[in-house]
Amino acid sequence: MSRGRALRGLVLGVVGLGLIAPIALGLGQSLQAAFGILPALDLRVWSLEPWRMLLAQPGFGSSLQLSLLTGLGSTLIALVLALGFCAAGSFGRGPGRLRWLAPFLAVPHAAMAVGLAFVLAPSGWIARGLALAFGWNRPPDIASVHDAWGLALMLGLVVKELPFLLLVIASGLAQLPVARQIAAGRALGYGPGVAWIKLILPQLWPLIRLPVWVVLAYGLSVVDMAIILGPSNPPSLAVAVVRLFSQPDLAMILPASAGAMLQAALVVVCIAALWGAEAALRLLGRWWVPRGGRGMSWAPGLRLASGAVWALMALASLALVSLLLWSLAWRWSFPLIWPESWSAAAWASPSATWGAALYNTVILAAASTAVSLALAVLWLEAEADLPRAPWAEALIYLPLLMPQIGFLYGLNVWFLRAGLSGGYLAVIWAQALLVFPYVMITLSEPWRSVDPRLLRVAAALGAGRWRRLLGLRLPILLRPILTAAAIGVAVSVAQYLPTLFMGAGRIATLTTEAVTLASGADRRVVGVYASLQAALPFAAYAAAALLPMWWHRNRRDLRGGGV
Amino acid sequence: MFAPITLRVAAGGVAVVMGPSGVGKSTLLDGIGGHLAHGFLAQGRVLIADRDVTALPAETRRIGVMFQDALLFPHLSVGDNLAFGLTPTLRGRSQRRAAVEAALAQAGLAGMYLRDPATLSGGQRARAALMRTLLAEPQALLLDEPFSKLDASLRAEMRQFVFDHARARGIAVLMVTHDPEDATAAGGIVVEL
């Protein structure tokens, strides 16, 4: 017992000092700067000047509005579509394993954004298709990417968050007796759609609430996608804040910090609003459900949602294909649908171009995933002999709900003082803040579902704690562990802001390069970086699926299932 | 949960605990074996051949457990399952291998060292699980409704197999069961909780 407590204490200490404290310190640092305290510039008096400077930024109001619109809009659209798709699926043979989602889940936001920009741009595939139909010979003169309304950004966020929400909803539904309850509802005279909304949705929501909040927080504060797809002047709030932080005039750190705090407040307010809406809908439901109305058919709406999901995923596939195509195209003039000539020139000299970025990306992904995985295993192992601590589990979500811009800059100030900034260690640390929660979330369910009697038998056979862990638990969980690792790699590869800030601009990864190059550079070069960026998580997912299949090839009970 | 009880089982003897569901039969076994989940507190002492093991962790008590499922480790071959249990005091690759092969032969599983446990029949699995337990050289054995999932013909055979081996090795057996036939066949003390 005492050993278990010591292990739990150790893990809590590592998580507290390694993950929670940096966020708190970074947040505190930015909060001080937002109110005029910045010892580095010899500013030691509280003031509201940073906020005045922030409000005076040209286009500030539009930035705020844009962030609200794209963040809330994309989350709600993606949520409604995902719910509709899964609801429509529950009446047939169920939404299934949704294995086909894996590539869309794996691809980093920036790569998806670059691909979408290729497809949506006035000279992109969609315009080329229309040109063929209408006989245009010049790209249309409209801003279909970087549009002032942020529609392209919203579309990008919907396309990228939809697979995540689908997966979350499907795994939530898998825990509920959906088919039997729908059948019971229909036997009472309710149409399937109404039965789903009145019976299933209220049970499903608590299971998906946190992931939806994560999506909302992400959408409100996204940076890389907003740079690639969003309007550039004025940009969304998060991008505007990043720009302020990176200005040579150090005094701009003050309004930037105020903007970072505003960004954090925006997320808090929007999550609170969603919570409020949930409470209001619950009240409404208490009035609506007992009325016993059998309602009308929801089938057309559900079909529409399913159709939209398939269309968006088709768009996503086009975007991914266009990355590879552009990286290999040589001549590809408007309005041709297919390149005229091919060349591997953009791939040809890795040492001068993408080699270093690939190397950095692989090192960072491997290190941050390994650290996160080790920590998650220790956490879950410590859980074995002590009651679960729900508050500690809630803390895991904190880095996902907190906008990165809110704490990363402040954290970097601490890293600078410790002499860590600009090195691998600082970037690995910052990435692990975001990799660990996903690894933990992925691994905890399979971990807890291992039959405890297996471990008792092992103990009765004389196997101590470490032998039970290394000889039994870990090999049995090989597949989920590798899945968690693959997700960790995907999360790490996708990180933009932590690499940018903690690396002090000195550590170039595929993501930072792709984002930098996306504005204006040669499409072939951007295509190479974005293709590689998408390929790394793909490779990790493929390895996570194939390796256990080979390893357990003679073990029937462990072969099935998977990602 | 239940009134305090005192139970002595002779080496090689079989004691049976019976009682309605939920009375705490399995929890009693957990307490004796050292497997109590947190939230449970056991009062009393567990003595094995006059050795007080109450404060020891499960892995050093030398008390084997068997459940109604064989619970062979799914990632190991049948032979490696037995080798997992085989006492570490027996050293040397070839000697350990020979001990496992001998145990497999005793259980009617000769030549099945490399088999995937998932491909064994129910009876084969149960015998393999018993051999795995015995190879750890336990001083006592806890059986939690061990035969309830086997069909009637197999049940009597398996019961005989377990009791014979336990008697031959002088292992004290404590069995929880619903089946009166188990109690009759055991021929020892029967405790009603």
Side-chain angles (χ1 to χ4, degrees):
Chain A
M1 202 69 172
S2 67
R3 247 193 320 172
R5 192 157 295 164
L7 185 57
R8 167 60 79 86
L10 175 77
V11 172
L12 274 182
V14 170
V15 170
L17 290 176
L19 300 179
I20 308 302
I23 293 175
L25 285 175
L27 205 58
Q29 188 75 34
S30 295
L31 193 62
Q32 285 188 5
F35 288 97
I37 311 264
L38 195 61
L41 295 185
D42 213 28
L43 296 170
R44 293 169 202 282
V45 191
W46 294 95
S47 90
L48 288 175
E49 179 65 11
W51 293 91
R52 205 196 51 73
M53 289 166 83
L54 178 68
L55 291 174
Q57 292 295 317
F60 166 77
S62 319
S63 291
L64 190 58
Q65 197 187 344
L66 183 70
S67 284
L68 256 177
L69 193 72
T70 51
L72 273 177
S74 62
T75 305
L76 292 182
I77 293 173
L79 180 62
V80 167
L81 291 180
L83 284 174
F85 184 87
C86 289
S90 349
F91 310 137
R93 45 191 172 65
R97 318 256 346 226
L98 297 177
R99 255 174 225 262
W100 55 272
L101 281 178
F104 302 116
L105 279 170
V107 63
H109 282 81
M112 181 61 86
V114 169
L116 281 174
F118 285 175
V119 175
L120 296 174
S123 60
W125 246 338
I126 292 179
R128 286 166 194 257
L130 293 173
L132 220 61
F134 295 111
W136 305 339
N137 50 18
R138 213 170 328 150
D141 186 21
I142 48 162
S144 50
V145 178
H146 303 301
D147 63 293
W149 288 93
L151 294 178
L153 171 57
M154 218 191 296
L155 180 68
L157 283 170
V158 170
V159 164
K160 189 61 190 105
E161 300 306 348
L162 197 51
F164 176 68
L165 286 176
L166 285 172
L167 191 75
V168 165
I169 292 172
S171 60
L173 286 175
Q175 300 173 38
L176 301 173
V178 177
R180 272 182 288 144
Q181 297 197 348
I182 295 277
R186 295 180 72 167
L188 294 172
Y190 290 88
V194 179
W196 200 87
I197 288 173
K198 287 189 174 178
L199 298 176
I200 306 298
L201 190 58
Q203 303 179 64
L204 176 67
W205 182 253
L207 302 175
I208 65 169
R209 185 192 291 124
L210 261 178
V212 171
W213 287 4
V214 169
V215 168
L216 179 61
Y218 187 89
L220 286 166
S221 54
V222 63
V223 172
D224 49 0
M225 246 189 176
I227 292 177
I228 298 169
L229 290 174
S232 48
N233 213 1
S236 66
L237 180 63
V239 177
V241 172
V242 172
R243 280 193 198 159
L244 284 176
F245 270 130
S246 33
Q247 280 191 15
D249 179 4
L250 288 182
M252 294 318 263
I253 291 177
L254 296 175
S257 300
M261 289 304 101
L262 181 65
Q263 180 71 62
L266 189 67
V267 169
V268 171
V269 167
C270 284
I271 288 180
L274 193 61
W275 206 354
E278 179 193 330
L281 283 174
R282 200 166 27 215
L283 279 181
L284 196 67
R286 292 226 177 99
W287 166 81
W288 183 53
V289 173
R291 274 168 49 102
R294 266 42 174 179
M296 34 162 205
S297 171
W298 287 65
L302 295 180
R303 261 201 299 277
L304 196 69
S306 301
V309 168
W310 288 118
L312 286 169
M313 291 303 107
L315 183 67
S317 316
L318 274 187
L320 295 183
V321 172
S322 75
L323 290 179
L324 199 61
L325 226 50
W326 267 111
S327 76
L328 290 166
W330 187 245
R331 251 186 78 77
W332 191 0
S333 51
F334 195 85
L336 295 171
I337 293 287
W338 202 247
E340 294 145 88
S341 57
W342 303 85
S343 158
W347 291 91
S349 48
S351 58
T353 53
W354 48 269
L358 177 65
Y359 174 79
N360 283 339
T361 310
V362 170
I363 295 277
L364 293 175
S368 58
T369 302
V371 169
S372 304
L373 208 51
L375 204 53
V377 165
L378 285 180
W379 175 297
L380 291 164
E381 176 63 23
E383 197 179 78
D385 21 32
L386 286 171
R388 282 170 66 175
W391 58 269
E393 283 170 42
L395 274 184
I396 295 170
Y397 270 94
L398 184 67
L400 303 184
L401 293 171
M402 174 62 68
Q404 300 179 5
I405 191 89
F407 63 89
L408 278 179
Y409 193 84
L411 179 58
N412 195 38
V413 172
W414 287 95
F415 277 175
L416 271 173
R417 279 189 211 153
L420 290 174
S421 179
Y424 280 112
L425 189 62
V427 181
I428 290 167
W429 197 339
Q431 289 199 352
L433 290 178
L434 300 145
V435 173
F436 173 69
Y438 282 105
V439 168
M440 188 70 196
I441 290 165
T442 318
L443 197 52
S444 46
E445 208 45 56
W447 186 283
R448 289 171 190 146
S449 64
V450 170
D451 188 342
R453 295 176 307 166
L454 274 178
L455 296 151
R456 290 182 190 181
V457 166
L461 292 172
R465 156 163 240 156
W466 292 106
R467 186 155 178 236
R468 292 202 297 273
L469 177 66
L470 300 174
L472 195 60
R473 178 93 77 160
L474 295 185
I476 288 177
L477 289 175
L478 179 66
R479 178 186 289 274
I481 285 173
L482 288 179
T483 304
I487 288 171
V489 167
V491 172
S492 162
V493 170
Q495 292 309 317
Y496 173 67
L497 224 43
T499 320
L500 191 72
F501 278 4
M502 304 299 145
R506 286 202 288 276
I507 296 183
T509 64
L510 294 171
T511 302
T512 59
E513 293 295 288
V515 173
T516 310
L517 294 169
S519 52
D522 190 343
R523 277 192 182 176
R524 302 176 191 88
V525 180
V526 187
V528 168
Y529 281 93
S531 297
L532 280 171
Q533 204 204 358
L536 272 186
F538 281 166
Y541 271 55
L546 297 177
L547 212 60
M549 228 185 317
W550 173 79
W551 187 264
H552 290 316
R553 62 194 175 283
N554 292 326
R555 299 287 175 261
R556 204 176 62 195
D557 285 350
L558 296 173
R559 222 166 30 207
V563 179
Chain B
M1 279 196 274
F2 40 78
I5 53 166
T6 304
L7 197 62
R8 266 187 93 87
V9 187
V14 181
V16 174
V17 176
M18 297 186 75
S21 312
V23 76
K25 302 186 296 293
S26 295
T27 312
L28 173 65
L29 290 197
D30 284 349
I32 295 171
H35 307 290
L36 276 184
H38 39 77
F40 288 97
L41 210 66
Q43 286 181 334
R45 291 201 301 156
V46 181
L47 300 168
I48 303 285
D50 294 331
R51 182 170 62 104
D52 188 342
V53 298
T54 319
L56 295 179
E59 59 265 29
T60 51
R61 290 191 181 194
R62 300 188 62 191
I63 302 177
V65 290
M66 291 185 69
F67 297 92
Q68 51 183 306
D69 297 302
L71 296 172
L72 296 176
F73 304 136
H75 64 299
L76 298 177
S77 69
V78 174
D80 284 342
N81 259 282
L82 270 60
F84 188 102
L86 181 58
T87 171
T89 51
L90 183 67
R91 288 171 186 281
R93 248 176 80 86
S94 55
Q95 270 170 306
R96 287 182 69 83
R97 173 83 188 213
V100 170
E101 294 283 12
L104 284 172
Q106 274 184 43
L109 297 168
M112 295 198 180
Y113 193 102
L114 293 176
R115 279 279 286 272
D116 177 2
T119 63
L120 298 187
S121 72
Q124 288 174 323
R125 271 183 232 180
R127 292 199 297 275
L130 177 68
M131 282 304 156
R132 180 178 66 179
T133 308
L134 295 177
L135 285 177
E137 297 180 357
Q139 291 174 310
L141 182 56
L142 305 173
L143 305 177
D144 193 349
E145 299 189 32
F147 314 121
S148 59
K149 273 201 179 168
L150 300 173
D151 56 47
S153 60
L154 215 51
R155 199 175 301 165
E157 182 194 321
M158 190 61 205
R159 196 155 42 209
Q160 206 52 50
F161 188 70
V162 173
F163 293 164
D164 286 351
H165 274 285
R167 199 169 300 126
R169 288 158 209 242
I171 299 172
V173 178
L174 181 58
M175 173 162 67
V176 159
T177 183
H178 275 304
D179 182 354
E181 261 181 58
D182 281 349
T184 320
I189 330 160
V190 176
V191 181
E192 289 276 352
L193 282 189

